[in-house]
């Protein structure tokens, strides 16, 4: 593709990476508004000599991006960005996968490439995917991961740049109409930044080689809120600023939202500078090509002619095939029926609200801040009614019982609730019912976790969008917990200190001193990164903390969750994780959500094993990088956790998730 770089303009330099790291450019995106000749609205890209570090985006840029077909191949931090895009631009069509059918209409198609720590295989996988999708795309880009440049990987940066450049050259020759954009590799925070120099070596090459077509993720990660630069341990290379990090490498919600907004502006850029006017026309003269309409005067009126503009048809669909973009539903036949397909139609968002202001319609509740709090309003969400029943009429689903009058009695019907039976076995189900979801909406849950916990929370949000889930930190924990008195919710709290399980246990116990008896259920999850460790010391610390907590907060039900695993490729320490998990299952029978076992069960029901062929491992089908859960795995885990939390016989009527 011949990129007309001369058309790009830059308003000002916004950011200079210290000590020779590189330059970035910022400024208002240039706009050429539509006029009587029918010129398309254009948005300028960055200056050809500098990468993109412009913060923020405009409604016009979001509108422009919504007309493009973009393919983004990524992994962990890419998932943070995609989550950020969904939050800051809920109307943007974002789909997951790699199927050409997903590109029947403009969308951002994101795909997890699971070759973590294998950058050459990751680049090759990207080429194979684009070979299939290329004819449909406007923009394609791949984001390598921080872990691809770790010293233990053993691959030179020069070998990565050679493979990357050759791949992009082949793809550009094969698909000259596609814009191949580029993303700098993400960084570690200062505390874990030993290999940031190698990441910056790759990033500097990327900025120099592809100039104005580079989204400088690394530079945006390094820019602190006050505009200063976060540096690595070597004092020279940039590092992920602590205020944007949820651990040593992933982005927290604020960081993901900030960079996602910038990514919208970058992807909306007009890399081609094609200002070819639409053909002139008059309404009724049939001069426009197929799938276009004439915007302007009709053929019998004097004056300037109109312009032909493309009309994007609603994508065809069948109920249940998930082919509609975000915020749309399929109106037509279901996926198993014969006949003409249906059409995707926009679903208007629920009205905004604040808890306690009675602005929601009937059968809805307000999810968000209360009417006295400052900040963004909440949204009204439909509350599925409990299925009605009468004792003895068998109208309740499996594993549920009817609470109310019997089938021969007059009066109001009863409600189906999950039958709370302690079997003594750990929970490995990945299903939940509408009754489970309704029960969980009335409970208060506190859950302490880290990255795999965040994957699970994201999965819960996708499979149960009406469930109230709130995030708390050390500074706002008391305020968030205080809101549970009027609005039950699942409150999740990120416990840092990955690699230090004893510090995590201590942090959970300290947080419970704030939470106290105001919750029904509380639990914490250790991480795969917390192993190997001295298992005897870990067990002793965990058991002692749980005994103290149960003594101090007798009305709270403390439940337990097994530690997550690595996949086969990195499963050396799964044996120590399983040693802890086996103790957990045996000690707290009937109160254990068995995340590790759920991770190991493949779609066909077989068990994934570690390198020792004895210990269970994370199945490849559920992981994005060998440790974290991909979207399918997270949705599956989130579904199971909903059922588990709904199944617990409570000491009170509340649950808090920490």
């Amino acid at each position: 593709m011949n990129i007309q770089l001369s058309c790009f303009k830059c308003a000002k330099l916004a950011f200079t990476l210290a000590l020779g790291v590189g330059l970035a450019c910022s400024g208002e995106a240039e706009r050429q508004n539509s006029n009587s000749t029918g010129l398309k609205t254009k948005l300028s890209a960055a200056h050809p000599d500098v990468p993109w570090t412009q913060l923020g985006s405009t409604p016009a840029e979001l509108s422009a991006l919504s007309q493009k077909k973009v393919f983004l191949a990524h992994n962990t931090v890419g998932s943070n960005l995609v989550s950020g895009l969904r939050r800051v631009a809920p109307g943007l069509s974002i789909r997951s996968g790699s199927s050409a059918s997903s590109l029947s209409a403009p969308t951002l198609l994101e795909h997890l490439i699971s070759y973590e720590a294998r950058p050459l295989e990751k680049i090759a996988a990207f080429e194979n995917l684009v070979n299939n999708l290329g004819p449909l795309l406007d923009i394609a880009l791949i984001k390598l991961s921080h872990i691809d440049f770790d010293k233990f990987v053993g691959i030179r940066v020069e070998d990565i740049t050679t493979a990357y450049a050759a791949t992009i050259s082949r793809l550009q020759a094969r698909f000259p109409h596609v814009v191949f954009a580029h993303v700098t590799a993400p960084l570690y925070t200062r505390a874990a930044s030993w290999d940031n120099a190698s990441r910056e070596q790759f990033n500097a090459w990327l900025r120099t080689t592809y100039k104005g077509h580079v989204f400088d993720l690394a530079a945006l990660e390094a820019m602190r809120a006050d505009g200063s630069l976060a540096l690595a341990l070597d004092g020279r290379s940039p590092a992920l600023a602590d205020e944007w990090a949820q651990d040593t490498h992933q982005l927290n919600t604020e960081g993901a939202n900030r960079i996602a907004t910038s990514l919208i502006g970058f992807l909306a850029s007009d890399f081609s500078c094609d200002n070819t006017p639409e053909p002139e026309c008059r309404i009724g003269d049939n001069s426009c090509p197929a799938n276009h309409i004439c915007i302007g005067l009709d053929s019998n009126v004097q004056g300037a002619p109109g312009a032909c503009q493309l009309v994007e048809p609603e994508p065809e669909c069948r109920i249940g095939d998930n082919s509609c973009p975000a915020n749309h539903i399929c109106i037509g036949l279901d996926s198993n029926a014969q006949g003409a397909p249906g059409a995707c139609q926009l679903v208007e968002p629920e009205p905004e609200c604040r808890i306690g202001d009675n602005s929601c319609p009937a059968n809805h509740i307000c999810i968000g801040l209360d009417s006295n709090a400052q900040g963004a309003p909440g949204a009204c969400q439909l509350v599925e009614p409990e299925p009605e029943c009468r004792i003895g009429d068998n109208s309740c689903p499996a594993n549920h019982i009817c609470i109310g009058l019997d089938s021969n009695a007059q009066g109001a019907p009863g409600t189906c609730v999950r039958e709370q039976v302690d079997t003594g076995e750990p929970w490995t189900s990945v299903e939940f019912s509408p009754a489970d979801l309704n029960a969980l909406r009335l409970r208060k849950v506190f859950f302490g976790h880290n990255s795999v916990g965040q994957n699970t929370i994201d999965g819960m949000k996708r499979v149960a969008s009406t469930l109230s889930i709130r995030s708390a930190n050390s500074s706002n924990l008391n305020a968030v917990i205080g809101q549970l008195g009027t609005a039950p919710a699942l409150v999740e709290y990120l416990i840092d200190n990955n690699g230090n399980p004893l510090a995590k246990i201590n942090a959970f116990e300290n947080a419970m001193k704030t939470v106290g008896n105001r919750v029904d259920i509380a639990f914490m999850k250790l991480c795969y990164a917390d192993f190997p460790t001295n298992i005897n010391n870990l067990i002793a610390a965990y058991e002692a903390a749980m005994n103290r907590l149960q003594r101090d907060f007798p009305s709270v039900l403390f439940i337990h969750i097994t530690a997550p695993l690595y996949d086969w490729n990195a499963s050396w320490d799964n044996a120590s994780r399983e040693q802890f998990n086996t103790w957990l299952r045996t000690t707290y029978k009937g109160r254990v959500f068995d995340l590790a076992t759920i991770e190991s069960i493949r779609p066909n029901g077989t068990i994934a094993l570690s390198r020792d062929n004895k210990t269970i491992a994370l199945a490849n089908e559920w992981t994005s990088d060998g440790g974290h859960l991909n979207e399918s795995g997270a949705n599956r885990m989130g579904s199971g956790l909903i059922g588990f939390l709904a199944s617990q016989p409570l000491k009170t009527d509340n649950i808090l998730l920490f």
Side-chain angles (χ1 to χ4, degrees):
M1 182 175 183
N2 295 321
I3 307 297
Q4 302 296 321
L5 293 176
S6 61
C7 73
F8 298 138
K9 296 184 179 180
C10 182
K12 62 179 180 178
L13 292 180
F15 178 70
T16 303
L17 286 176
L19 302 170
V21 171
L23 292 175
C25 182
S26 176
E28 279 295 311
E30 180 180 308
R31 292 157 177 81
Q32 298 176 2
N33 293 323
S34 298
N35 56 31
S36 61
T37 60
L39 288 179
K40 303 172 185 175
T41 299
K42 296 297 180 183
L43 301 169
S44 71
H47 188 278
D49 295 326
V50 289
W52 183 282
T53 57
Q54 177 179 314
L55 286 171
S57 58
T58 68
E61 287 167 330
L62 180 58
S63 177
L65 178 56
S66 68
Q67 303 304 312
K68 297 186 178 186
K69 297 179 179 180
V70 181
F71 178 62
L72 169 61
H74 65 87
N75 211 283
T76 316
V77 173
S79 295
N80 299 156
L81 290 180
V82 170
S83 296
L85 285 169
R86 295 185 192 275
R87 287 189 293 266
V88 302
L92 182 65
S93 173
I94 301 175
R95 298 184 184 178
S96 301
S98 59
S99 171
S101 62
S102 297
L103 292 169
S104 59
T107 195
L108 190 154
L109 181 63
E110 59 95 18
H111 178 70
L112 288 168
I113 296 184
S114 61
Y115 295 104
E116 286 293 74
R118 290 177 284 172
L120 303 186
E121 294 177 63
K122 190 179 290 187
I123 293 168
F126 173 70
E127 183 172 16
N128 290 333
L129 291 165
V130 175
N131 280 335
N132 179 46
L133 301 173
L136 304 172
L137 290 174
D138 297 313
I139 302 174
L141 60 165
I142 177 177
K143 184 200 71 60
L144 295 181
S145 182
H146 45 77
I147 200 172
D148 294 331
F149 299 89
D150 280 351
K151 284 188 173 65
F152 79 84
V153 174
I155 299 177
R156 299 185 310 156
V157 173
E158 292 81 0
D159 295 332
I160 299 175
T161 59
T162 298
Y164 186 100
T167 297
I168 296 300
S169 294
R170 287 192 298 270
L171 289 173
Q172 191 69 85
R174 198 170 297 132
F175 305 109
H177 69 284
V178 177
V179 171
F180 287 93
H182 312 274
V183 185
T184 53
L187 308 172
Y188 274 98
T189 58
R190 177 180 173 81
S193 61
W194 305 282
D195 296 320
N196 274 2
S198 61
R199 298 177 186 99
E200 186 53 26
Q201 181 184 344
F202 173 79
N203 292 342
W205 171 82
L206 207 65
R207 297 180 189 110
T208 302
T209 305
Y210 298 105
K211 297 182 178 178
H213 290 72
V214 177
F215 181 72
D216 206 340
L217 169 65
L220 289 166
E221 283 188 332
M223 276 193 285
R224 294 192 181 99
D226 62 5
S228 61
L229 177 67
L231 291 179
L233 291 168
D234 62 12
R236 295 175 297 174
S237 307
L240 169 59
D242 289 334
E243 54 258 58
W244 314 130
Q246 71 166 273
D247 49 24
T248 58
H249 56 281
Q250 292 198 90
L251 295 170
N252 59 25
T253 298
E254 185 178 5
N257 291 355
R258 173 178 174 269
I259 297 179
T261 305
S262 179
L263 183 59
I264 291 171
F266 173 75
L267 294 175
S269 302
D270 178 23
F271 295 95
S272 68
C273 292
D274 175 16
N275 290 322
T276 305
E278 297 282 5
E280 294 182 349
C281 64
R282 290 192 181 269
I283 297 172
D285 66 1
N286 299 319
S287 57
C288 288
N291 302 321
H292 286 66
I293 60 172
C294 184
I295 305 298
L297 296 175
D298 67 42
S299 57
N300 297 315
V301 177
Q302 294 181 346
C308 298
Q309 294 192 9
L310 177 66
V311 177
E312 294 287 346
E314 293 285 2
E316 294 184 346
C317 62
R318 294 202 181 259
I319 297 172
D321 66 1
N322 300 318
S323 59
C324 287
N327 303 319
H328 287 66
I329 59 172
C330 184
I331 305 298
L333 296 175
D334 66 45
S335 57
N336 297 315
Q338 294 181 343
C344 298
Q345 295 192 8
L346 178 66
V347 178
E348 293 294 334
E350 297 286 0
E352 294 183 346
C353 62
R354 291 195 182 267
I355 296 171
D357 67 0
N358 300 317
S359 57
C360 289
N363 301 321
H364 287 67
I365 59 172
C366 184
I367 306 299
L369 295 175
D370 65 44
S371 57
N372 297 316
Q374 295 181 343
C380 298
Q381 295 192 8
L382 178 66
V383 178
E384 296 288 342
E386 296 281 4
E388 294 184 349
C389 63
R390 296 207 180 251
I391 297 173
D393 66 0
N394 299 318
S395 57
C396 287
N399 303 319
H400 289 71
I401 59 174
C402 184
I403 305 297
L405 296 175
D406 66 43
S407 57
N408 297 314
Q410 294 181 345
T415 300
C416 298
V417 297
R418 178 179 283 273
E419 185 176 13
Q420 297 176 334
V421 178
D422 182 3
T423 64
E425 296 297 324
W427 185 278
T428 57
S429 170
V430 291
E431 297 178 349
F432 69 93
S433 70
D436 293 335
L437 184 56
N438 284 324
L440 184 53
R441 286 197 192 100
L442 301 176
R443 297 179 168 187
K444 302 174 185 177
V445 184
F446 189 55
F447 174 44
H449 66 86
N450 209 285
S451 50
V452 174
Q454 189 61 56
N455 299 154
T456 303
I457 292 295
D458 291 341
M460 295 177 82
K461 291 177 180 178
R462 285 189 290 267
V463 301
S465 61
T466 58
L467 184 63
S468 178
I469 299 178
R470 299 179 186 173
S471 299
N473 53 49
S474 57
S475 63
N476 72 357
L477 179 59
N478 193 61
V480 174
I481 296 303
Q483 295 175 6
L484 296 178
T486 56
L490 184 155
V491 178
E492 52 103 6
Y493 187 99
L494 190 69
I495 302 180
D496 212 339
N497 297 310
N498 255 357
N500 191 343
L502 301 186
K504 285 186 177 180
I505 294 169
N506 185 59
F508 176 68
E509 188 170 9
N510 286 336
M512 281 302 303
K513 294 175 183 177
T514 298
V515 173
N517 283 313
R518 290 183 288 179
V519 302
D520 301 314
I521 295 181
F523 64 117
M524 69 168 292
K525 182 195 70 62
L526 296 177
C527 188
Y528 53 77
D530 296 327
F531 301 84
T533 188
N534 186 310
I535 298 297
N536 291 331
N537 289 348
L538 175 60
I539 288 174
Y542 185 94
E543 186 171 32
M546 291 299 161
N547 288 341
R548 287 191 298 269
L549 288 171
Q550 195 65 82
R551 178 200 67 200
D552 295 340
F553 308 109
S555 67
V556 178
L557 175 66
F558 288 94
I559 58 176
H560 312 274
I561 183 168
T562 52
L565 310 170
Y566 271 112
D567 70 357
W568 186 88
N569 290 300
S571 61
W572 305 283
D573 297 318
N574 276 354
S576 63
R577 299 179 184 101
E578 188 58 18
Q579 184 180 347
F580 173 77
N581 291 342
T582 299
W583 172 81
L584 208 64
R585 298 180 189 107
T586 303
T587 305
Y588 299 105
K589 292 181 179 180
R591 294 290 178 269
V592 178
F593 179 71
D594 203 343
L595 181 148
T597 295
I598 294 173
E599 282 190 326
S600 71
I601 302 174
R602 296 192 178 98
N604 63 5
T606 60
I607 302 297
L609 294 178
S610 301
R611 288 174 178 266
D612 61 10
N613 285 323
K614 297 182 293 183
T615 310
I616 60 175
L618 169 57
N620 290 331
E621 292 91 337
W622 311 129
T623 182
S624 60
D625 58 5
H628 295 97
L629 298 172
N630 59 24
E631 186 168 314
S632 296
N635 291 354
R636 182 171 172 270
M637 196 67 68
S639 298
L641 187 55
I642 290 171
F644 174 70
L645 292 173
S647 76
Q648 296 303 297
L650 302 182
K651 297 183 177 182
T652 67
D653 291 327
N654 304 316
I655 297 183
L656 177 62
L657 179 61
F658 176 83

